[in-house]
Amino acid sequence: MTTTPDTAQATPAALGAPEFAPLNIGPMEVWPPVVLAPMAGITNAPFRTLCREQSGGRGLYVSEMITTRALVERNAKTMQLIKFDPSEKPRSIQLYGVDPETVGRAARMISEEGLADHIDLNFGCPVPKVTRKGGGSALPYKRNLLRDILRQAVANAGDLPVTMKMRKGIDDDHLTYLDAGRIGAEEGVSAIALHGRTAAQHYGGTADWSAIARLRESVPAGIPVLGNGDIWSADDAVRMMRETGCDGVVVGRGCLGRPWLFKDLVSIFEGDVDYARPTFAYVARAMVRHAQLLGEWLGDEARGVIDFRKHVAWYTKGFSVGSELRVKLAGSSSLTELAETLALVDQEQNWPIGADGPRGRTSGNNRVVLPEGWLDDPYECAKLAEDAESDTSGG
């Protein structure tokens, strides 16, 4: 079921469809032009391993969000989150921070200690515990603060490429993505990714791909623009690139419980349409392996299986499992219990019609929690609270 690639280096463009080119991020050449989006509690080393096995090691796979303060203070949980499998090349870390000096220290630490090959900066997280401190998708509204953070990150990253991921803005009345893209280009970022929603939308509604097209038109051609939002299938990825002119795609919720989406993405960019349509037997083996990898990573089988519980609904979406077995699967506390419960499900079920559609969070949230007075001035920024820089990572 799994493969171990001989190399994690990008495949030359000659192998792909002539319509598309490799994604160049600083010295890195990424083929196909596909990036796994950082997702808190999801894109840890075990999940990245599963996705990379499906793609044959091709593409770029980013860690879950790492808080800069926690990194420079060497918080134990954070140091665990930045551990990469020896086969992971290139290694990519996403940083979150609101203090330019701390972001700079974190970037310098990553560069000098060889902790990663690429740094991504989070300006897209819409959750209240982040935006209420002026971070994530709230931060680009403060143009000067954004510039200072980018400048410190790029200046301290050495030879490592620095990229940024953001949303359209806080809401439709406070759009920031064009200004943020311009500032990023001026400060030397190597690529810019845009989720086509505002913070107010969270994950509701439909992603605005036209905003990705506008950003691509406004950013200098030498800086890749990546699109994110509503990529549920390999066909969606190609359609986004054709409709927007973006240079690559960032895949998030579409791969939840479906790491073989990256196999499909490799196939379509190499001119094939041999998509994965696994039976339930294959899915069940993937579920057990995912839980096993989590246990090995956490150093405890029970903790791994418990952490895996959140993935059960995604893996089983569309299959005839039954409410009683779903509850039992979601309550498993050992690999044996998980495997035995999965064995009670019809293993010969084919991939369900419609299972390629939306998964993960889909609800919107019309209120964005912000620091007091945050919207008063898009340039001036009062000193943020001391706890704005969280001392833990992972969302």
Side-chain angles (χ1 to χ4, degrees):
M1 187 187 83
T2 61
T3 60
T4 303
D6 294 330
T7 175
Q9 298 301 315
T11 301
L15 294 179
E19 180 180 359
F20 304 106
L23 174 63
N24 293 302
I25 300 177
M28 302 188 308
E29 182 178 273
V30 180
W31 180 259
V34 173
V35 179
L36 170 64
M39 291 180 281
I42 304 294
T43 58
N44 45 41
F47 186 72
R48 296 196 305 270
T49 294
L50 291 171
C51 294
R52 290 176 57 254
E53 287 176 345
Q54 292 289 333
S55 74
R58 288 169 283 185
L60 181 63
Y61 301 87
V62 187
S63 74
E64 52 187 308
M65 186 177 77
I66 301 299
T67 303
T68 52
R69 175 184 164 192
L71 181 61
V72 299
E73 293 180 354
R74 300 183 185 273
N75 171 275
K77 177 184 177 183
T78 296
M79 301 310 289
Q80 166 74 6
L81 290 175
I82 65 170
K83 287 183 179 179
F84 292 90
D85 185 88
S87 67
E88 288 193 74
K89 295 288 183 180
R91 301 161 301 162
S92 181
I93 287 180
Q94 188 187 64
L95 295 179
Y96 157 80
V98 298
D99 174 61
E101 181 182 353
T102 305
V103 172
R105 289 173 61 198
R108 184 168 63 252
M109 176 178 169
I110 292 170
S111 175
E112 292 180 349
E113 298 183 19
L115 300 177
D117 306 299
H118 161 234
I119 297 171
D120 184 54
L121 297 175
N122 181 313
F123 301 115
C125 182
V127 301
K129 72 174 184 178
V130 170
T131 60
R132 69 162 47 97
K133 297 177 180 179
S137 53
L139 197 145
Y141 186 75
K142 297 297 187 180
R143 275 68 165 177
N144 290 339
L145 177 60
L146 174 67
R147 185 182 295 279
D148 288 346
I149 287 175
L150 291 170
R151 182 170 295 175
Q152 286 294 322
V154 172
N156 285 281
D159 295 331
L160 303 185
V162 175
T163 61
M164 60 188 290
K165 186 173 185 291
M166 61 185 181
R167 285 183 172 238
K168 289 173 57 182
I170 293 174
D171 53 35
D172 288 338
D173 294 324
H174 301 90
L175 299 178
T176 57
Y177 70 101
L178 293 178
D179 277 353
R182 173 181 55 79
I183 292 169
E186 291 171 354
E187 295 303 325
V189 299
S190 296
I192 303 170
L194 176 65
H195 184 145
R197 287 182 172 88
T198 63
Q201 287 180 277
H202 273 221
Y203 298 95
T206 302
D208 178 13
W209 289 6
S210 67
I212 299 168
R214 286 192 290 274
L215 181 65
R216 175 60 285 174
E217 292 171 356
S218 69
V219 170
I223 300 174
V225 168
L226 289 75
N228 176 225
D230 295 353
I231 298 177
W232 309 115
S233 68
D235 291 329
D236 289 337
V238 168
R239 183 166 59 87
M240 174 185 277
M241 292 188 68
R242 287 172 176 163
E243 291 183 9
T244 69
C246 67
D247 304 283
V249 296
V250 180
V251 179
R253 293 173 296 149
C255 68
L256 295 175
R258 195 161 59 120
W260 44 87
L261 175 58
F262 289 94
K263 177 182 181 296
D264 293 351
L265 288 161
V266 170
S267 294
I268 198 168
F269 279 104
E270 295 188 352
D272 196 356
V273 289
D274 181 22
Y275 296 161
R277 293 293 181 266
T279 63
F280 188 80
Y282 184 100
V283 173
R285 291 195 298 271
M287 293 173 71
V288 173
R289 174 161 166 74
H290 192 167
Q292 178 184 2
L293 288 173
L294 282 167
E296 293 171 356
W297 182 64
L298 292 169
D300 183 275
E301 177 183 313
R303 286 182 61 199
V305 175
I306 291 170
D307 190 77
F308 176 74
R309 291 174 179 175
K310 68 170 79 80
H311 298 270
V312 168
W314 298 324
Y315 274 106
T316 59
K317 178 179 178 177
F319 285 104
S320 179
V321 176
S323 58
E324 186 176 336
L325 284 180
R326 286 184 189 275
V327 171
K328 191 172 181 180
L329 286 169
S332 297
S333 56
S334 72
L335 289 174
T336 298
E337 182 182 3
L338 177 64
E340 289 178 348
T341 305
L342 287 167
L344 298 175
V345 180
D346 179 5
Q347 304 292 297
E348 296 182 1
Q349 291 183 69
N350 292 320
W351 183 249
I353 297 174
D356 291 342
R359 50 186 57 216
R361 294 168 292 183
T362 57
S363 61
N365 183 342
N366 294 325
R367 180 172 177 268
V368 182
V369 183
L370 299 167
E372 184 177 356
W374 191 254
L375 298 178
D376 292 349
D377 190 315
Y379 295 97
E380 294 303 318
C381 183
K383 182 176 176 59
L384 293 169
E386 289 185 5
D387 67 347
E389 282 282 348
S390 174
D391 60 358
T392 58
S393 296

